[in-house]
Amino acid sequence: MSTVMSMEWTGITQDQYNQVMRALDLDKNPPAGAMFHVAGFKAGTLHVIDVWELQQAFEKVQKDRLAAAVQKAGITSQPKVQFYPAHNIYAPNLEFIRKIGSTSLPSAA
């Protein structure tokens, strides 16, 4: 069953997020088990919603790749992360998602 990963990370800047995304090089090396990623900022907090095939897939990427990219970006704080089973995944406009999701880097990067 797919899992949703919800992350809140206070004190992360958009520049630091962009640095992490560049270091991960997801376009050339997408992580196994990743299905969907969306990130946004509000009041100095990064909010991320991911959908993964399994929670263990995210945990492996976090250990093998994400931790080093976060350290390289100079981030020392820790996020609040929650996992829960995906009950429904609905994407009514897949063509739009394909277009805007054609790169892992934000358009401002």
Side-chain angles (χ1 to χ4, degrees):
M1 173 182 282
S2 300
T3 189
V4 176
M5 187 279 301
S6 171
M7 178 186 292
E8 292 182 8
W9 207 333
T10 301
I12 303 302
T13 67
Q14 290 184 16
D15 184 58
Q16 287 173 314
Y17 170 83
N18 295 346
Q19 288 177 51
V20 169
M21 293 303 284
R22 283 191 297 272
L24 290 173
D25 200 19
L26 300 175
D27 294 337
K28 292 182 182 173
N29 188 14
M35 299 171 63
F36 184 78
H37 172 85
V38 63
F41 288 85
K42 181 178 179 184
T45 300
L46 168 65
H47 298 267
V48 174
I49 297 291
D50 282 359
V51 180
W52 291 80
E53 290 177 8
L54 299 167
Q55 178 177 335
Q56 293 82 0
F58 170 80
E59 291 169 344
K60 178 171 176 38
V61 170
Q62 193 281 328
K63 178 183 166 214
D64 295 348
R65 297 171 62 185
L66 184 57
V70 165
Q71 183 178 17
K72 183 177 177 182
I75 300 168
T76 57
S77 62
Q78 296 295 312
K80 176 183 171 188
V81 178
Q82 297 179 331
F83 296 94
Y84 43 94
H87 177 70
N88 185 28
I89 300 171
Y90 173 63
N93 194 341
L94 282 176
E95 192 54 42
F96 179 73
I97 291 172
R98 282 185 189 100
K99 182 179 176 184
I100 64 169
S102 62
T103 178
S104 66
L105 300 176
S107 59

